[in-house]
Amino acid sequence: MKEIIIATKNAGKAKEFKQMFQPLGYEVKTLLDYPEIPDVDETGTTFEENAILKAEEVSKVLKQIVIADDSGLSIDALEGRPGIFSARYAGEEKSDEANMDKVLNEMKDVPDGSRTARFYCALAVAIPGKETYTVSGTCEGEILHERKGSYGFGYDPIFFAIDKGKAMAELEPEEKSEISHRAHALRLLEKDLPTLFGEGQS
């Protein structure tokens, strides 16, 4: 089984990547398996820039192919916020509940029809000695007025997924993986995985 390293310490993301990659014959490891690697400063101004920073930095340390994702929620009525600050929107502590509370409060006077939003995911693949490769995916939706569902993580309980007609957090993991921003990005990446890994990888 080929090994893929995902540059994340987010347990929710780690679980989703494992669900996506294992059927393709890849064993997934994350930064949870390498606690000695320090966090990478996300100084980029776009999801792509931050994904590239994380992938390249971890790849330099491990001298292996590393995939990094940077993703978040972009709300039209909030001029694209929380955007690249999605994980820490309510503060440095990275609280999903506090982040959702802040968004719901900022959206409390926004009427239905003007609550459009999308999840965005950028994936970067850093390969030692080669140029970093990127793909991206989106999932269109709307911001709900209250939390719904108990699956997923992050902003899933307040995001109405248009393709499924329900909150992202009401979707079983298999359903979410059909329409999520991460799944869309991964499908683009999937066809190039054999080429990216090349011969002699294990």
Side-chain angles (χ1 to χ4, degrees):
M1 206 177 228
K2 291 179 181 176
E3 184 179 282
I4 280 185
I5 296 170
I6 310 293
T8 185
K9 291 181 180 176
N10 181 310
K13 285 185 183 181
K15 186 176 177 183
E16 286 191 5
F17 275 113
K18 285 177 181 176
Q19 288 170 337
M20 292 176 184
F21 277 114
Q22 282 172 346
L24 302 176
Y26 293 90
E27 180 189 357
V28 172
K29 287 194 171 180
T30 72
L31 296 186
L32 296 171
D33 299 300
Y34 299 93
E36 71 279 5
I37 295 179
D39 288 338
V40 177
D41 287 333
E42 297 178 26
T43 55
T45 59
T46 65
F47 291 114
E48 277 81 7
E49 287 177 7
N50 282 331
I52 290 167
L53 279 170
K54 287 186 278 190
E56 290 183 348
E57 198 64 34
V58 176
S59 181
K60 278 181 201 165
V61 174
L62 296 178
K63 296 178 172 54
Q64 284 181 256
I65 295 176
V66 172
I67 297 176
D69 123 301
D70 197 52
S71 53
L73 177 65
S74 176
I75 302 171
D76 295 323
L78 300 182
E79 299 177 331
R81 296 194 309 276
I84 61 171
F85 305 107
S86 291
R88 296 181 175 85
Y89 195 45
E92 286 300 310
E93 290 303 307
K94 278 191 176 182
S95 164
D96 288 348
E97 295 304 317
N99 288 338
M100 284 190 284
D101 285 342
K102 182 173 181 179
V103 166
L104 289 173
N105 183 58
E106 291 182 334
M107 294 287 288
K108 67 180 186 293
D109 297 324
V110 179
D112 291 341
S114 299
R115 301 176 71 88
T116 51
R118 69 209 43 81
F119 278 124
Y120 187 93
C121 171
L123 292 179
V125 185
I127 307 166
K130 293 186 180 179
E131 189 174 345
T132 299
Y133 169 96
T134 62
V135 292
S136 63
T138 60
C139 178
E140 295 293 325
E142 297 172 353
I143 301 303
L144 294 163
H145 293 274
E146 60 186 14
R147 293 166 172 78
K148 289 186 179 179
S150 57
Y151 293 107
F153 62 97
Y155 295 93
D156 286 356
I158 63 169
F159 185 87
F160 181 83
I162 292 171
D163 285 351
K164 290 291 185 180
K166 49 177 129 172
M168 194 75 104
E170 292 179 300
L171 302 178
E172 298 269 358
E174 295 76 19
E175 287 184 286
K176 182 180 177 181
S177 68
E178 291 172 7
I179 58 126
S180 78
H181 48 311
R182 203 164 286 113
H184 285 307
L186 181 61
R187 281 189 203 107
L188 292 176
L189 176 62
E190 186 182 325
K191 66 183 188 319
D192 292 324
L193 279 176
T195 305
L196 291 170
F197 272 72
E199 295 297 319
Q201 297 290 334
S202 61

